[in-house]
Structures are given as structure tokens and as C-alpha cells.
Amino acid sequence: MANSSDPAICAASLPIPVDLFLSKKHPDHVTTSSGDFIFRLSRQSLKSSSIDKIVLHDAAAAAGPLISIHRVNKESWQGFKGDIGEQDLLFKVERTLNKLRRTEFKVFLVGENSDDSNASLEMKGFPFQRSCTIYKGNTIVAQTSLMHKLHQICVRRGRFRLTIFPGTVDPSLIVALIVIFFDGRI
């Protein structure tokens, strides 16, 4: 995992929300408000199969990969601990609604539910507006929003905020889920 002094890790333990940022300028990095890199993404397209892979790294890169995300098909993904293979499955994600303006996903955390019909987390939002909310039951775990400025009529979609609320969900997992939600749209 990332360094314990990183703001992203502190999100799970502090009683206040933590903001991270994603942008088109740096599509492979997640930063703090001061511009420091927290997480790094590497994308791989595997020609031998239909699975695309995104690997989430600690920005310090001292530790190995945190989570590798495999696109199974157009509507589902799997997340694995590290990048050593497929034996350490952390989660499965299935798109349940894909309309022009609204997208929804169900997230199944491995080991948390023995019944596959109940999702551990849900993601709902509007990709074009860079809006996504992650729920655990009725509780908001994280959400994204565009960077609004005073006196700005047209809001740019090139940079947006990820707010992680305090709780028990690992910030690297939240970042991985946001990457899946905006897959190909950042």
C-alpha cells in the first residue's frame, strides 16, 4: 500500500473528507490539491486476448503495484491485488445500466459477501459530467465533481475532483473503481 503519510491513506482514518484530482493533462496520475502525485496508472492492451489491463501503483513506486484491473468484457471488470496474476481477486464490477446520460455499476468485494446477488458497493453517475457517486448501502463513500470556478459559465471537463469520505473503504480501491467508471473517458 501507499506510504502511511499520504493524504489518500489518511482518508480512511481521518474524520474529514480528502480531495484527490484527475485530469486530461495527466491522465495516468492521481494528485493532491497541491499537485503531488499519489497514484500512478499504467495501461496495457493485451493483443493475445480481449482483456485490457490497468495497473494502479503507489506514486512513490517503492512498493509494487497496488491493484491490477482487468477488463473481462464490455460490461465487466475484475480487480486483483498487485500485478502477479489472477490468484488474489479483490473485486468484480458489473455495469448494470448504460444509458446515454446515466451509468450504474455493482461492485462485489471478494470475501465480504458469500451471496453473489448482493453488491458490496454501487457506483452511479453521469460520465460526461464527470459525476460519479460510490455508495456502500445508503452511505456515500466517495464522489467526483467538476472543478467549478466563480463567474465561469462553461465548466471545463478536463480536471475533476475525487472526494473520499472517511470510512472503512481503502482509498486505492476507490481510485480503481473511479478508473473503471470513467474507463476511456478521462
Side-chain angles (χ1 to χ4, degrees):
M1 287 288 141
N3 183 334
S4 62
S5 64
D6 286 342
I9 297 305
C10 295
S13 60
L14 286 179
I16 59 171
V18 171
D19 288 333
L20 301 178
F21 299 88
L22 294 96
S23 72
K24 280 189 175 183
K25 185 176 180 182
H26 299 288
D28 295 330
H29 291 91
V30 178
T31 64
T32 63
S33 59
S34 61
D36 298 329
F37 295 143
I38 296 294
F39 296 110
R40 183 174 51 86
L41 301 167
S42 60
R43 300 168 194 273
Q44 302 169 1
S45 180
L46 305 175
K47 302 286 184 201
S48 62
S49 69
S50 62
I51 299 175
D52 290 329
K53 180 175 155 183
I54 301 171
V55 181
L56 179 67
H57 302 270
D58 179 3
L66 300 173
I67 297 174
S68 59
I69 304 163
H70 298 260
R71 184 179 195 140
V72 177
N73 59 43
K74 192 175 180 180
E75 304 294 325
S76 65
W77 294 258
Q78 293 180 336
F80 299 91
K81 184 176 181 182
D83 189 26
I84 55 175
E86 298 184 4
Q87 57 266 35
D88 292 328
L89 182 65
L90 292 174
F91 62 86
K92 295 179 183 180
V93 177
E94 294 178 7
R95 187 182 341 239
T96 57
L97 179 66
N98 190 19
K99 297 214 174 194
L100 182 63
R101 295 184 43 100
R102 184 153 179 84
T103 304
E104 294 182 8
F105 294 84
K106 289 193 177 198
V107 181
F108 303 92
L109 299 177
V110 174
E112 189 165 301
N113 287 328
S114 58
D115 180 14
D116 281 342
S117 64
N118 292 329
S120 304
L121 301 168
E122 289 187 40
M123 296 189 290
K124 298 178 181 182
F126 307 92
F128 182 77
Q129 297 173 353
R130 301 291 190 253
S131 170
C132 172
T133 304
I134 301 176
Y135 298 92
K136 185 172 188 174
N138 292 331
T139 304
I140 295 176
V141 174
Q143 73 186 149
T144 62
S145 59
L146 288 171
M147 301 295 298
H148 295 278
K149 293 182 179 177
L150 292 176
H151 307 291
Q152 187 176 12
I153 296 172
C154 183
V155 179
R156 294 183 182 170
R157 297 178 325 110
R159 185 170 191 232
F160 62 98
R161 173 185 295 123
L162 165 61
T163 302
I164 302 173
F165 297 99
T168 58
V169 180
D170 182 6
S172 61
L173 172 64
I174 292 172
V175 171
L177 295 176
I178 294 298
V179 168
I180 290 170
F181 188 87
F182 293 111
D183 186 29
R185 296 182 177 123
I186 294 181

